[in-house]
Amino acid sequence: MLEKFGIPPKMLRLIIRFHSDLIVKVNIGDKDVCFDSTTGVKQGCTMAPLLFAIYFQAANEVLSAVLPVSSTLTFKTEQDFVFSGRKITQSTTALEFSFDKSLYADDKTKLSDSRENLQKNLQLIFSVFKQFGLLCHVGRNGSKSKTEAMYFPAPGLKYEDADTSPLLVDGGEVPFTLKFKLLGSLLAYNLKDNCEIDARIRSAQGAFQAIRKQFFSAKGIKNVHKKTAYEGLVLSILLYGCETWSLPKQQLNRLQMFHNSCVRAMCRVTMWHVREHRITQVSLERRMQLEPFEYYLARRRLRWAGHISRMPFSRLPRMFLSSWVDHKRPQQRPQFTYGHGLLRDLRNAGVHLKAWDTLAGDRNLWHAITQQKNVHCNAAGGGYAWVDSGQLDQDTERSLPPPTSYAGVLLGLRSISTPSSPSAANLKSPGPIKSPIKSPLSLLPTLPPLTPLVVPPSQSLPIRCSRRLADKAELTGGRKVYSRDDRRLKPLFPL
């Protein structure tokens, strides 16, 4: 088999010698038991995963030749980036493609359009794999099966009305399940992410509570160290797989509530302190030097969307990004999809919806956009809209307006220095900036930057804190806080 896949003869002989006359030693108590290994690959060998992948690929190629084509699922797609509101009856350039299986290492997912076809496909899979010496685990004699089946009801149908009795194959049973864990994420029968978000919150809460007393809520740990551990440990667990979530407002609020509780715990602030002293979440995040939760979420989702948009159209993820099912649309509002969430993220980032794929085509430019601190709240700021300037003469230099965003800086432009004195403002404004690069795209003028508001030190607002912290501040030199007697802004003790 390795010879058919093109392995050179010399390397093939070395692989055979590595796996010939192999003796396995197992330590049982005080004795060592030795026996010959005649099947499989060596555990712990770096070559074992590659050999198994080649062998598994050969079995799947034989299986693809005997499986019926009529049972595969078909979709339609176009090369545009329309996620919702498409008139599928008027589409004349749609491309039809099929998707029937998903492979990862030794895991295989098979999709069918009916229960009868699924039963036939399972029998063929078990018979072909048995010829290659591969066994699929099924439930026998009351044992739990590792192979499971799922039923996804169409819109308007109920799960209880379908036949979800176990499938009989190879002398065992393959039961139906409501949710299945695949590659670390939970897949539910209703194609919603509620159970996955619940599992993510539980896992992140367990990681946070494991070292809360010793680290996150400890007094001797600096806030910057807490921030680094929280972003690297808790947020990475909480947002695992969020790039593909369909996030309605209710689920987004649940994630936000968990994040708020963690920030309060790291600041050693309870809900009583929040109500009594009117402490805002923004002030707590500023104390911990953390960004808002929407920033971490939008950055991950937009970065993944840009990665998908840069894929060639022959790749399945790119085809699914703008795909649809050729079926009559059901009544009432459609279910909240990934496309709806991506449009919301693009609006919040201030990216033009009809030109975001052009921005994402430049990897460095899209990385700079997604790393900005206002990527989650720049809906009214603008700054990332583009127009096609292909009709302009490419040999002549084109003039561009002064950039007001980081996107212009990446294009090689230099911003005009702001006048430092009133007399300098009366001078003649310099002309538009000449672009040093020749690009078919030009940056649209954006909104002028906001003038920063400078508050005099004498008018600075007092810092809110609890009574216990206020007493400690008094011993160390005094601090302005809210009075417990009234809610007016007045200092309890001078600085």
Side-chain angles (χ1 to χ4, degrees):
M1 185 178 298
L2 294 177
E3 185 178 359
K4 291 182 179 180
F5 274 97
I7 303 298
K10 183 177 181 180
M11 184 178 295
L12 185 59
R13 290 194 298 268
L14 291 175
I15 295 175
I16 295 176
R17 292 185 62 183
F18 270 119
H19 293 81
S20 300
D21 300 330
L22 186 62
I23 299 177
V24 179
K25 180 186 292 186
V26 180
N27 186 6
I28 302 178
D30 298 335
K31 297 182 180 180
D32 294 336
V33 179
C34 299
F35 57 91
D36 296 334
S37 177
T38 58
T39 59
V41 294
K42 296 188 295 183
Q43 293 188 3
C45 180
T46 57
M47 191 170 44
L50 179 60
L51 293 177
F52 179 81
I54 296 175
Y55 195 78
F56 194 62
Q57 177 63 24
N60 281 282
E61 289 182 3
V62 175
L63 181 62
S64 300
V66 298
L67 283 177
V69 184
S70 59
S71 62
T72 60
L73 304 182
T74 58
F75 303 86
K76 288 188 175 182
T77 183
E78 286 196 12
Q79 295 192 23
D80 55 8
F81 290 87
V82 179
F83 307 131
S84 61
R86 183 194 300 272
K87 296 181 180 180
I88 60 176
T89 57
Q90 301 179 3
S91 178
T92 58
T93 61
L95 174 65
E96 186 173 309
F97 68 99
S98 61
F99 177 68
D100 61 338
K101 63 178 178 297
S102 175
L103 303 176
Y104 183 81
D106 59 342
D107 293 333
K108 179 181 178 66
T109 303
K110 176 63 181 175
L111 289 89
S112 300
D113 54 356
S114 64
R115 177 185 172 92
E116 292 75 15
N117 290 332
L118 180 61
Q119 179 73 46
K120 296 178 182 178
N121 292 337
L122 278 179
Q123 293 177 354
L124 287 175
I125 291 173
F126 275 66
S127 61
V128 171
F129 280 8
K130 187 176 291 185
Q131 296 175 6
F132 282 82
L134 301 174
L135 299 179
C136 300
H137 188 276
V138 295
R140 292 185 176 90
N141 300 325
S143 61
K144 187 178 179 180
S145 173
K146 293 183 179 180
T147 305
E148 295 180 323
M150 291 190 69
Y151 166 65
F152 304 96
L157 300 181
K158 295 183 179 180
Y159 184 87
E160 295 79 9
D161 298 337
D163 183 11
T164 56
S165 58
L167 300 172
L168 302 179
V169 58
D170 196 27
E173 294 183 352
V174 177
F176 278 81
T177 181
L178 296 177
K179 55 184 179 180
F180 184 79
K181 191 170 185 179
L182 181 64
L183 303 180
S185 299
L186 286 176
L187 184 64
Y189 75 97
N190 55 6
L191 297 179
K192 295 183 179 180
D193 295 313
N194 300 352
C195 60
E196 168 64 10
I197 293 176
D198 294 340
R200 290 290 103 201
I201 293 178
R202 287 194 300 268
S203 300
Q205 187 175 12
F208 184 84
Q209 295 294 339
I211 56 175
R212 176 176 178 175
K213 292 183 179 180
Q214 297 82 359
F215 189 85
F216 287 119
S217 297
K219 297 181 181 180
I221 306 297
K222 294 183 179 180
N223 290 341
V224 63
H225 298 159
K226 294 182 180 180
K227 170 200 171 185
T228 304
Y230 178 73
E231 291 178 344
L233 179 63
V234 181
L235 281 182
S236 61
I237 296 177
L238 179 65
L239 300 180
Y240 175 80
C242 69
E243 294 85 354
T244 59
W245 287 351
S246 301
L247 270 179
K249 194 64 177 178
Q250 296 82 0
Q251 301 301 329
L252 185 60
N253 292 338
R254 296 186 64 243
L255 294 170
Q256 180 71 56
M257 290 173 58
F258 171 76
H259 170 74
N260 295 349
S261 63
C262 292
V263 174
R264 290 195 302 269
M266 288 188 291
C267 294
R268 301 177 59 84
V269 172
T270 63
M271 286 301 299
W272 180 88
H273 296 115
V274 173
R275 291 189 296 265
E276 187 72 13
H277 304 286
R278 301 182 184 178
I279 305 176
T280 62
Q281 178 68 19
V282 176
S283 63
L284 295 179
E285 290 175 346
R286 192 175 302 157
R287 185 191 304 181
M288 296 300 303
Q289 303 178 17
L290 284 170
E291 302 296 334
F293 176 75
E294 295 87 349
Y295 165 77
Y296 299 102
L297 185 64
R299 183 181 62 178
R300 286 170 172 254
R301 292 172 62 86
L302 291 177
R303 185 173 54 188
W304 172 252
H307 175 66
I308 296 297
S309 67
R310 290 189 296 270
M311 289 183 178
F313 192 68
S314 58
R315 296 281 302 274
L316 273 177
R318 172 61 188 91
M319 298 172 70
F320 272 114
L321 186 61
S322 53
S323 65
W324 70 90
V325 179
D326 192 9
H327 193 274
K328 184 179 179 181
R329 178 184 177 276
Q331 295 181 355
Q332 300 179 352
R333 190 201 184 282
Q335 182 174 316
F336 192 91
T337 61
Y338 170 78
H340 295 137
L342 180 57
L343 291 176
R344 180 184 59 193
D345 295 335
L346 292 173
R347 292 191 189 98
N348 293 338
V351 178
H352 199 282
L353 300 182
K354 294 184 179 180
W356 76 273
D357 57 307
T358 306
L359 288 171
D362 190 339
R363 189 169 184 266
N364 294 331
L365 177 60
W366 189 251
H367 176 77
I369 293 175
T370 56
Q371 293 298 320
Q372 290 197 123
K373 300 302 182 181
N374 61 343
V375 69
H376 63 287
C377 59
N378 195 32
Y384 308 121
W386 296 75
V387 293
D388 187 8
S389 59
Q391 299 178 356
L392 299 178
D393 187 8
Q394 299 295 333
D395 297 332
T396 60
E397 290 186 338
R398 294 182 290 106
S399 60
L400 299 178
T404 58
S405 64
Y406 191 33
V409 178
L410 285 179
L411 290 176
L413 310 178
R414 292 181 297 176
S415 59
I416 302 174
S417 58
T418 305
S420 58
S421 61
S423 60
N426 300 328
L427 298 178
K428 184 179 179 180
S429 175
I433 299 175
K434 298 297 182 65
S435 173
I437 59 175
K438 295 181 180 181
S439 173
L441 303 174
S442 60
L443 190 64
L444 288 178
T446 57
L447 297 178
L450 299 177
T451 304
L453 179 61
V454 180
V455 181
S458 59
Q459 301 180 6
S460 60
L461 298 179
I463 302 176
R464 301 166 178 169
C465 63
S466 62
R467 170 59 58 182
R468 179 178 56 81
L469 296 179
D471 296 339
K472 183 182 295 186
E474 184 179 7
L475 297 177
T476 58
R479 186 180 184 184
K480 287 185 178 182
V481 297
Y482 278 112
S483 173
R484 292 180 66 92
D485 301 331
D486 54 14
R487 297 304 179 187
R488 295 177 299 174
L489 301 179
K490 73 174 185 178
L492 291 180
F493 25 79
L495 291 173

